[in-house]
Amino acid sequence: DLFYLRSLKLSRCFNLSNLCLGAIISNICNLTNLVLSDCSGLSDEGFILISKHCKNLDSLEIVNWYGQRLTDVGLSAILLGCLNLRSLILKGLKGVRTFVVLIPVLDKQRLSLLHLGGCYNIPRTLLETVATFCPHFIYLRVLCWPNYWTSFYSYS
């Protein structure tokens, strides 16, 4: 019975489809921690399912070095659907074209940790927005690819 499961880590599940992920998470009502690492079969559809079924998520880590197809659409759905997030770790998201989607929803979040690693198109205004709209915020880490601005920022 998956009902009482609180933490789930799926790593290198290359054949995990959106439909299969939906079937798994729809039966886990108390899930608070989810890690998806290198699950190349997932797309925005799967992340939209996460936003619908995982309302109690406290921590979400998405690692995308092998080609998960998360775009602005899926990231927006997660941010709008999972309002209890305290920790959001995003690494290697090449499909997210602009992290501007983070800005309008940060004031609705309870985020205290945001880690963006190996991601493109992170706006400088994200730092200002975090400082302005996130009263619970403690830790921000932004690491970009070469030729993009690189920053490490932490405060408490």
Side-chain angles (χ1 to χ4, degrees):
D1 187 16
L2 298 175
F3 182 80
Y4 295 103
L5 188 69
R6 293 206 179 273
S7 184
L8 178 64
K9 179 177 182 178
L10 299 171
S11 181
R12 301 191 110 181
C13 299
F14 300 115
N15 294 321
L16 179 68
S17 68
N18 296 317
L19 187 62
C20 184
L21 177 66
I24 294 168
I25 61 175
S26 66
N27 293 311
I28 308 174
C29 298
N30 295 311
L31 191 65
T32 58
N33 181 23
L34 179 60
V35 177
L36 297 170
S37 179
D38 302 324
C39 300
S40 58
L42 297 180
S43 68
D44 283 334
E45 231 179 282
F47 295 103
I48 291 168
L49 290 170
I50 291 169
S51 74
K52 290 180 180 175
H53 295 292
C54 300
K55 299 291 186 187
N56 295 322
L57 270 187
D58 179 69
S59 175
L60 177 62
E61 181 174 348
I62 301 171
V63 180
N64 183 27
W65 304 118
Y66 290 101
Q68 282 163 204
R69 296 173 314 272
L70 175 65
T71 70
D72 296 322
V73 173
L75 183 57
S76 293
I78 287 171
L79 293 170
L80 292 170
C82 304
L83 295 176
N84 290 319
L85 279 178
R86 291 181 187 265
S87 172
L88 180 60
I89 299 171
L90 305 171
K91 297 178 184 174
L93 300 181
K94 298 172 193 90
V96 176
R97 294 288 170 226
T98 172
F99 280 84
V100 176
V101 297
L102 287 169
I103 294 172
V105 295
L106 282 175
D107 64 331
K108 296 172 180 64
Q109 289 290 339
R110 297 172 58 203
L111 279 178
S112 59
L113 181 147
L114 176 62
H115 176 115
L116 303 174
C119 302
Y120 294 102
N121 301 319
I122 300 170
R124 291 178 186 264
T125 55
L126 183 62
L127 295 173
E128 297 163 7
T129 303
V130 166
T132 305
F133 292 112
C134 298
H136 307 289
F137 217 84
I138 297 170
Y139 184 82
L140 171 65
R141 185 170 188 180
V142 180
L143 300 167
C144 303
W145 292 117
N147 302 326
Y148 290 83
W149 66 277
T150 302
S151 174
F152 174 78
Y153 184 74
S154 177
Y155 70 92
S156 55

